[in-house]
Amino acid sequence: MARRVLLIEDEPNIIEAISFILSRDGWTVHAHADGTTAFDRVRALPPDLIILDVMLPGRSGFDILRDLRAAPALAAIPVLMLTARGQTKDRELAERLGVSLFMTKPFSNAEVLANVRALVAE
Amino acid sequence: MLTFNLLVLVALAYVAFLFAVAFAAERRAARGDDGWLRSPLIYTLSLSIYCTAWTFYGAVGYAARSGLEYLTIYLGPSLVMIGWFWVVRKLVRIGRTQRITSIADLISSRYGKSTALGVIVTILVVVGITPYIALQLQSITLSFSVFVDPGGDVPAGASRDAVALWSAAGLALFTILFGTRNLDANERHHGVVLAIAVEAVVKLCALLAVGIFVVWGIGRGWTDMLARIDASPIADWSQPGGRWVGLTFLSAAAFLCLPRMFQVLVVENGNERHLVTASWAFPLYLLLMSLFVVPIAVLGLDLMPAGSNPDLFVLTLPLSQGRDGLAMLSFLGGFSSATSMVIVATIALATMVSNHIVVPVWLRLRRDGSMIAGDVRGVVLLARRVSIAAVLALGYVYFRLSGGGAALSAIGLIAFVGVTQILPAMIGGIFWRGATGLGAAAGLVSGFAIWVWTLFLPSFGADAVIPAQVMAQGPWGIGWLRPHAFFGVQGIDPVMHAMIWSMLVNTSLFLIVSMLTFPNPLERMQGAQFVNVFEHSAGTRAWGQTAAAAEDLLIMAQRIIGAADAQAIFLRAAQAQGKPGYLPDVTPDFIALLERELAGSVGAATAHAMVGQFTEGASVTVEDLIAVADEAAQILEYSTQLEAKSAELEQTAGQLRAANEKLTALSVQKDSFLSQISHELRTPMTSIRAFSEILRDGDTGPAEQQKYAGIIQDEALRLTRLLDDLLDLDVLEHGQVELHRQRGQLRDVIDRAVSAAGPRGGRLRLVRRRADEAIMLETDLERLAQVFINLIANAQKYCNAADPVLRIEVARLGAGYAVDFVDNGTGISPEHRQVIFEKFSRLTDPGRAGGAGLGLAICREIMARLGGGIDYLPGQGGAAFRVVLPVADAMAAQ
């Protein structure tokens, strides 16, 4: 069965790009653009990997990550945080909250793909 | 007998000679060859403008009427100069270090660069000195009339008034030509000063010549003269001591406070050491001026027919003896006395009027940042020239209205009492740190009011301004308010009465209010600088670190003091800091220096406000930082008395905390701006990079290729738009924006905006009332359309109604108009209304907006530049914005 990735991201063009890259590699990509309902979506799926943006309408990626790590059933899902906010303090905050990997935009497609593979293989 | 025409010819030739002297001096000074122009001798001679026509002609009249009392008028200034070390030296030092331009500037600067005090002093001296100028015009016309043959060879039109009018016009021309050649008062007026010095010599020679002629020509030497004096009534006058002390005090105070004396004594002083020479040479000059006064008076009373005007003995005695040449010299002496006083007084008054009234008003009217766009230098010069003409016109009008009669002859002492009201604030200000602006204002205003009521208004004559009944019984029958008998004190001569009461109330209020009020930090700092001027002439004024860009300050400074001078100052400052180029670091020292330089042109209060416009641009105001710095300095200074000052300490701590919080907020604001801008740039870059990599991989079909290339193009456009907006905003906020003003219909501007915004959101329906839009505008129509496009585009993007409608309505607002943009969506919640005009304040998700949240920030900047405004208009149902069109630009529908 194809592995499932949940992409929580609000920029339509970025959703399109990541979906294309991962689908081409055989992943099933679900996209979700809203921060408030993202947690419910994770619980409903749940995916093998989450790619999480930070600046989301309604609720920030940091808050969603904190909720995920606090929920016993979902805490083990690897989270790849992908954000345009590249400041050190953002990275530090993400790491404190238990992010699996922190990447800044713009990214190289190959790197994203390699990281997704590595995170799910672990 | 001298003919009138010859007299006019000689006067004109003399004036032409003075023009030549002034012009030559300016030429020399321009070549840098001004060594001897700045000599102590010239300085001393320039002080002689103290001797006006009132002293030249009037002293003899005074002696003929009141004996030796006229000496008090010379005694006061002599004492001030002999004791130069105490007061004058301090004034001169303060004048130089603080770049004081006038006595109003001194008071304003001392009390925290107060605009109000500058205005009060300016009004006071204009009211007091205008009649004094009128007196000079009168003396010129009077001296002309002495020469007119009663048979009358007077050409038509050469009436008394015509002489006064032409004199006033000529003086205005001279003063404008040589008094406003450069702006910086500290550059000084070489031409004017030299011309005055020449006039000083002429009037001294004239009076000495007449005196010598009287003693040895008519009389038979000193012995004979002394005998005649003993025989004359002048020897009989008894001199009450109190009155002598009072008049001496009055003339000493006036010597310090008269605007023209302050001008030559302090502003035109090139070197403090000149005071040493002046301290003996000036009293000597006064002594020579007064030497022959009594002999001339005595012989005049003896020889001239009874009833002839003793004020004109200096002229009429030589004439009656057939000495036309001597009379002519004497005439030129009186003419010199009058003209030199008028020229300097006018320069001083015009400087005050333009610096303290015209320019501040102009600045306030143009508060929209046009400081950079407008040429301040031109405005200040024009203001000064217009002020000169206005002051002289005022003097002339006063002369006409008062009829040039006896009312004028008393005006000398009346003016003295008027300007003396400045003395407590001035002396208190330079010797007492506790003096406050409120105290100074209370003293000045009360003293001024008493002077106007008890001396100035009554001087117009009974029933002229104050009805005779009020003079006799007081206003509304209140006896103790009678102008010449305040609180029932009667029987004193009006001048002494007014002086005692006004000085008593003025000084008391000044002291009491000063002790009861707490000076603000800037005031306290200026107070310390003035009182302790000898301890730290280098200046310890502390300015806070500010965000003002050196370049902005340079642009402003160039407009005020001229490009060459401004660049020289900046270059020197940069070199002193060890930096290459023209832009030094904006350190507190540098700002203090710059402010002082500018103060030399436009006065301290205005300079402070101008520099403040740039340095206070940041969230932390300079005022706050000064407050902190000043409070800290105060605490150090008074550390021994700290226990007693715990309240003050508390206040300081509070101010420090507040400043600290503001600084923190500013830093957070900057961080968040950087982070937001990075986010806004990275997002489109991400799409561009990802899709270009996908296209390069090459395993996409033609349809996908087409689509992805489209996305790359869209995102690239988004990036471009963002950068354009950012640059636009930056230019609007900080740079020099060129506005292309043109006339056009509001309707056309809205049409253009609608068609520009149209294609993107066809769903939005617009409701307009085109008839209301027939309004002519004169403004930058392109920029205005940009604002409208933004607002329509916002409605297209954000209006969440099922059937979105945007109403565009013209509203009448007082004299002007506003255009309202109201949609039928859910609107913007009150807490968000605070932030929508901030940069990057996008409220909803970016997918729908497609902008970076700069639109409204740009709109706000544009409207501010155009002189209008934009605001959220609450209570309209949907989102509503009101664009207020600039009032002056909107013209009613025609």
Side-chain angles (χ1 to χ4, degrees):
Chain A
M1 181 182 121
R3 298 228 156 157
R4 290 190 297 192
V5 173
L6 175 60
L7 174 58
I8 307 177
E9 165 68 63
D10 62 341
E11 278 280 337
N13 288 337
I14 297 180
I15 295 176
E16 172 117 25
I18 294 179
S19 300
F20 180 88
I21 299 158
L22 294 182
S23 310
R24 193 171 54 177
D25 196 51
W27 299 76
T28 304
V29 182
H30 300 270
H32 191 86
D34 177 55
T36 16
T37 53
F39 185 77
D40 299 334
R41 184 73 190 276
V42 176
R43 201 158 40 192
L45 272 172
D48 296 298
L49 173 87
I50 299 169
I51 298 181
L52 183 57
D53 187 18
V54 172
M55 310 246 286
L56 289 163
R59 197 162 165 75
S60 97
F62 292 128
D63 292 339
I64 297 169
L65 178 59
R66 188 182 293 116
D67 291 352
L68 286 174
R69 291 309 184 224
L74 307 173
I77 303 177
V79 173
L80 168 58
M81 201 162 234
L82 196 52
T83 176
R85 287 176 53 158
Q87 286 175 312
T88 321
K89 60 175 182 160
D90 296 319
R91 177 184 292 272
E92 284 167 2
L93 176 59
E95 278 162 6
R96 257 202 321 282
L97 293 174
V99 75
S100 313
L101 194 68
F102 186 93
M103 286 181 73
T104 49
K105 296 172 184 173
F107 48 79
S108 127
N109 294 353
E111 201 183 336
V112 169
L113 193 57
N115 283 332
V116 167
R117 282 176 181 164
L119 283 174
V120 177
E122 273 171 7
Chain B
M1 195 78 186
L2 289 162
T3 66
F4 183 84
N5 287 339
L6 179 63
L7 202 63
V8 170
L9 208 64
V10 170
L12 281 178
Y14 182 64
V15 169
F17 166 67
L18 288 180
F19 268 82
V21 166
F23 185 68
E26 291 282 354
R27 282 279 293 274
R28 278 194 91 107
R31 285 204 309 268
D33 178 16
D34 61 349
W36 62 276
L37 290 175
R38 294 273 129 249
S39 71
L41 178 69
I42 303 279
Y43 178 69
T44 307
L45 286 173
S46 75
L47 294 184
S48 76
I49 54 152
Y50 178 74
C51 303
T52 64
W54 179 52
T55 25
F56 187 86
Y57 295 123
V60 172
Y62 202 149
R65 279 186 285 262
S66 315
L68 288 177
E69 194 177 289
Y70 79 92
L71 280 178
T72 54
I73 301 304
Y74 299 107
L75 203 53
S78 299
L79 290 177
V80 170
M81 284 316 288
I82 291 167
W84 64 278
F85 198 81
W86 288 292
V87 177
V88 180
R89 187 175 74 116
K90 196 160 191 178
L91 282 176
V92 168
R93 178 72 66 89
I94 291 171
R96 202 183 54 239
T97 54
Q98 299 285 329
R99 314 218 62 174
I100 299 295
T101 60
S102 66
I103 190 155
D105 194 29
L106 177 87
I107 300 291
S108 149
S109 179
R110 160 61 180 84
Y111 297 103
K113 311 189 175 181
S114 152
T115 312
L117 275 173
V119 173
I120 292 174
V121 175
T122 302
I123 291 174
L124 191 154
V125 298
V126 168
V127 172
I129 300 303
T130 302
Y132 207 170
I133 290 176
L135 174 68
Q136 307 304 315
L137 294 177
Q138 185 197 24
S139 82
I140 294 176
T141 56
L142 218 57
S143 58
F144 264 105
S145 67
V146 163
F147 287 90
V148 176
D149 190 12
D153 58 345
V154 184
S159 66
R160 227 171 47 97
D161 291 342
V163 170
L165 180 63
W166 284 109
S167 306
L171 286 167
L173 181 70
F174 184 90
T175 313
I176 287 173
L177 272 181
F178 294 102
T180 60
R181 285 178 74 86
N182 46 42
L183 246 186
D184 189 343
N186 283 44
E187 293 291 330
R188 303 189 186 89
H189 309 96
H190 298 94
V192 173
V193 169
L194 190 64
I196 291 167
V198 169
E199 293 195 291
V201 174
V202 170
K203 65 194 180 197
L204 182 62
C205 290
L207 207 56
L208 288 179
V210 173
I212 289 168
F213 167 71
V214 163
V215 175
W216 285 279
I218 308 179
R220 288 183 302 277
W222 271 120
T223 348
D224 173 52
M225 200 65 237
L226 287 176
R228 279 175 186 254
I229 293 173
D230 276 340
S232 81
I234 291 179
D236 296 340
W237 269 294
S238 64
Q239 311 294 344
R243 192 172 156 79
W244 266 64
V245 172
L247 285 174
T248 306
F249 166 78
L250 186 60
S251 63
F255 183 72
L256 287 170
C257 296
L258 279 168
R260 68 169 193 279
M261 291 320 297
F262 191 87
Q263 179 79 26
V264 286
L265 198 62
V266 177
V267 180
E268 306 277 354
N269 177 291
N271 189 333
E272 226 169 277
R273 274 177 312 218
H274 292 172
L275 289 173
V276 182
T277 310
S279 70
W280 58 265
F282 183 64
L284 180 67
Y285 183 94
L286 292 182
L287 178 73
L288 291 174
M289 283 297 279
S290 57
L291 200 56
F292 291 105
V293 166
V294 171
I296 297 173
V298 167
L299 270 188
L301 289 174
D302 258 12
L303 299 180
M304 299 304 290
S308 45
N309 185 354
D311 281 338
L312 293 172
F313 281 169
V314 179
L315 278 179
T316 47
L317 258 181
L319 267 184
S320 70
Q321 303 291 318
R323 301 297 181 113
D324 284 1
L326 187 60
M328 179 65 80
L329 182 61
S330 168
F331 165 80
L332 285 182
F335 188 72
S336 296
S337 312
T339 50
S340 55
M341 177 274 176
V342 174
I343 289 166
V344 180
T346 308
I347 289 178
L349 287 187
T351 305
M352 289 186 227
V353 171
S354 85
N355 281 358
H356 296 283
I357 297 178
V358 180
V359 174
V361 167
W362 181 81
L363 279 179
R364 193 145 304 173
L365 290 179
R366 309 194 51 178
R367 197 77 196 167
D368 56 345
S370 51
M371 180 72 60
I372 291 185
D375 188 344
V376 179
R377 188 179 164 74
V379 171
V380 174
L381 269 180
L382 183 67
R384 209 162 285 184
R385 284 172 183 157
V386 171
S387 304
I388 286 173
V391 165
L392 276 164
L394 216 59
Y396 174 71
V397 168
Y398 188 92
F399 166 77
R400 289 294 305 268
L401 291 183
S402 69
L408 273 182
S409 57
I411 205 71
L413 280 177
I414 294 174
F416 275 24
V417 179
V419 295
T420 298
Q421 303 309 321
I422 304 171
L423 191 73
M426 178 165 97
I427 298 296
I430 64 173
F431 287 107
W432 180 36
R433 287 190 56 178
T436 70
L438 279 175
L444 278 166
V445 170
S446 62
F448 182 54
I450 294 176
W451 170 74
V452 166
W453 179 245
T454 60
L455 197 57
F456 185 64
L457 292 182
S459 76
F460 290 89
D463 264 338
V465 183
I466 304 180
Q469 198 204 340
V470 174
M471 288 296 291
Q473 283 152 27
W476 306 286
I478 306 173
W480 57 270
L481 277 180
R482 272 173 294 165
H484 283 170
F486 245 42
F487 297 101
V489 179
Q490 301 199 29
I492 314 181
D493 130 88
V495 170
M496 281 295 118
H497 172 268
M499 187 187 86
I500 291 167
W501 279 117
S502 61
M503 287 315 283
L504 196 67
V505 175
N506 179 337
T507 312
S508 312
L509 279 179
F510 170 63
L511 293 175
I512 294 169
V513 176
S514 285
M515 283 189 272
L516 292 180
T517 52
F518 198 67
N520 72 37
L522 186 58
E523 216 180 307
R524 208 168 329 148
M525 187 147 53
Q526 288 295 98
Q529 295 238 317
F530 275 55
V531 174
N532 304 329
V533 66
F534 295 114
E535 278 86 79
H536 40 71
S537 290
T540 56
R541 176 163 24 172
W543 274 89
Q545 268 298 339
T546 67
E551 193 163 358
D552 284 346
L553 289 169
L554 178 59
I555 291 169
M556 179 189 67
Q558 285 178 344
R559 300 238 133 84
I560 299 172
I561 57 179
D565 288 349
Q567 282 158 9
I569 292 168
F570 276 66
L571 188 64
R572 267 202 313 277
Q575 280 167 351
Q577 292 176 0
K579 288 188 64 164
Y582 282 92
L583 297 180
D585 288 332
V586 184
T587 60
D589 283 348
F590 174 66
I591 291 184
L593 168 91
L594 182 64
E595 205 185 300
R596 269 200 299 277
E597 294 286 346
L598 298 182
S601 293
V602 292
T606 307
H608 185 63
M610 287 171 135
V611 172
Q613 288 217 340
F614 294 95
T615 50
E616 286 166 18
S619 305
V620 182
T621 67
V622 175
E623 202 77 35
D624 288 343
L625 287 160
I626 290 183
V628 173
D630 180 62
E631 295 288 354
Q634 290 279 317
I635 287 163
L636 274 178
E637 196 163 317
Y638 291 127
S639 62
T640 50
Q641 310 164 17
L642 254 184
E643 313 86 287
K645 299 218 165 201
S646 66
E648 204 173 322
L649 193 61
E650 195 107 330
Q651 198 182 353
T652 310
Q655 271 165 325
L656 262 173
R657 245 189 329 269
N660 200 18
E661 274 162 21
K662 279 188 183 173
L663 270 176
T664 315
L666 188 66
S667 157
V668 168
Q669 206 179 326
K670 192 197 72 186
D671 282 355
S672 100
F673 177 77
L674 276 179
S675 134
Q676 269 163 327
I677 208 160
S678 131
H679 181 264
E680 295 298 335
L681 289 171
R682 280 169 186 275
T683 302
M685 283 306 294
T686 306
S687 298
I688 292 172
R689 179 162 178 193
F691 282 110
S692 55
E693 284 186 14
I694 290 169
L695 288 179
R696 193 196 50 198
D697 292 347
D699 47 4
T700 40
E704 280 171 324
Q705 272 182 21
Q706 189 69 26
K707 182 178 172 196
Y708 295 162
I711 292 177
I712 290 176
Q713 191 189 7
D714 284 349
E715 295 287 357
L717 285 176
R718 179 171 154 192
L719 261 182
T720 315
R721 229 175 18 246
L722 171 67
L723 291 174
D724 284 347
D725 281 358
L726 267 178
L727 287 178
D728 205 18
L729 191 60
D730 185 57
V731 168
L732 283 164
E733 280 183 340
H734 306 294
Q736 194 156 7
V737 181
E738 265 191 43
L739 296 178
H740 302 283
R741 291 184 187 279
Q742 54 193 110
R743 285 170 66 84
Q745 284 272 350
L746 174 64
R747 184 192 295 143
D748 299 338
V749 180
I750 299 181
D751 282 346
R752 204 174 330 152
V754 169
S755 66
R760 275 189 278 162
R763 245 162 49 78
L764 183 78
R765 199 154 54 79
L766 293 176
V767 177
R768 295 169 57 184
R769 290 177 57 181
R770 299 175 62 88
D772 291 353
E773 294 168 3
I775 294 171
M776 279 307 285
L777 300 173
E778 184 162 356
T779 184
D780 189 327
L781 301 176
E782 289 295 325
R783 287 291 191 181
L784 189 60
Q786 196 185 344
V787 172
F788 292 167
I789 292 171
N790 252 305
L791 292 175
I792 298 172
N794 275 353
Q796 287 167 347
K797 288 179 215 155
Y798 300 118
C799 180
N800 50 4
D803 177 22
V805 176
L806 177 69
R807 281 183 294 131
I808 302 178
E809 292 174 344
V810 176
R812 179 121 214 178
L813 278 188
Y817 292 91
V819 187
D820 296 342
F821 292 77
V822 184
D823 72 23
N824 60 343
T826 46
I828 298 172
S829 63
E831 68 269 23
H832 286 140
R833 287 174 201 160
Q834 307 289 329
V835 297
I836 46 177
F837 290 103
E838 301 301 325
K839 279 170 275 197
F840 299 111
S841 63
R842 199 173 48 205
L843 300 178
T844 45
D845 61 294
R848 275 195 340 161
L854 292 173
L856 285 174
I858 291 176
C859 290
R860 185 181 56 178
E861 289 299 330
I862 291 177
M863 290 317 296
R865 286 278 172 170
L866 296 183
I870 178 167
D871 270 309
Y872 189 78
L873 192 63
Q876 303 295 311
F881 291 89
R882 164 160 287 181
V883 178
V884 179
L885 301 176
V887 170
D889 297 348
M891 288 168 206
Q894 282 106 20

